[in-house]
Amino acid sequence: MRTNQLIIALFQRFCWLDEGLQARLHDRGWPDISRPQSMVMTNIVSGIVRPSDIARNLGVSRQAIHSTINQMVKLGMVELAPDPDDRRHMIVSLTETGARMRQDAQRAMDQLADQLADRLGHDRFDALLATLEADWGDNKERRPA
């Protein structure tokens, strides 16, 4: 069934990218990080900094995100601080070490994108990006009241 192919193909390609990123970071001397840690880092870089928002964005519990963030704090990648706009909440931000890791991660992603564009052809790569960046609309089924 083609619907199964879509989710499997997207997940496999996501794993291809994440594994390539992890390998390149490892080669640069960074400690291995888990996929959840990588996803938290991606959210932070995208401007999503409240743990509850990260959890919602990733579809996991706040407890799971706090566990992952605490692991990242111990690794020196991120730090938690009170949200200056709302003291009831915390925000997570990259440490100096985390920022250096992010720079290396960006270089690694640039290499992976170049590698993929070379393999697929630049026109197909551009079409792939355009498709992924397009507005796919609302994904929630609406039922009449």
Side-chain angles (χ1 to χ4, degrees):
M1 177 176 257
R2 289 188 59 79
T3 55
N4 289 342
Q5 287 175 302
L6 175 62
I7 196 163
I8 291 168
L10 285 171
F11 183 69
Q12 287 173 333
R13 295 329 179 253
F14 166 77
C15 290
W16 180 90
L17 278 171
D18 193 54
E19 289 165 8
L21 170 62
Q22 298 301 331
R24 283 165 176 77
L25 288 174
H26 180 82
D27 290 347
R28 289 185 169 270
W30 292 106
D32 293 335
I33 64 170
S34 67
R35 187 158 288 145
Q37 291 168 342
S38 179
M39 296 309 302
V40 167
M41 187 82 108
T42 300
N43 275 267
I44 295 167
V45 170
S46 299
I48 302 166
V49 296
R50 283 187 178 171
S52 58
D53 293 337
I54 295 170
R56 188 176 314 104
N57 194 39
L58 296 178
V60 299
S61 70
R62 289 187 307 196
Q63 180 181 6
I65 284 302
H66 281 287
S67 175
T68 300
I69 289 170
N70 287 335
Q71 294 165 2
M72 295 171 76
V73 167
K74 287 178 185 169
L75 290 170
M77 297 167 55
V78 299
E79 59 191 6
L80 280 168
D83 185 336
D85 297 327
D86 186 345
R87 294 287 207 197
R88 297 171 297 166
H89 296 280
M90 299 293 282
I91 58 170
V92 60
S93 60
L94 299 178
T95 62
E96 190 175 311
T97 298
R100 286 194 317 271
M101 186 179 207
R102 182 213 179 276
Q103 289 173 337
D104 282 346
Q106 185 60 58
R107 280 191 285 276
M109 287 303 299
D110 291 344
Q111 292 170 352
L112 287 163
D114 290 344
Q115 178 182 342
L116 188 56
D118 289 344
R119 285 184 180 174
L120 296 178
H122 291 272
D123 289 343
R124 288 179 67 196
F125 179 80
D126 291 342
L128 172 63
L129 277 181
T131 299
L132 293 172
E133 291 172 345
D135 181 0
W136 289 14
D138 188 1
N139 67 351
K140 309 261 188 316
E141 183 178 336
R142 304 284 184 204
R143 295 193 177 159

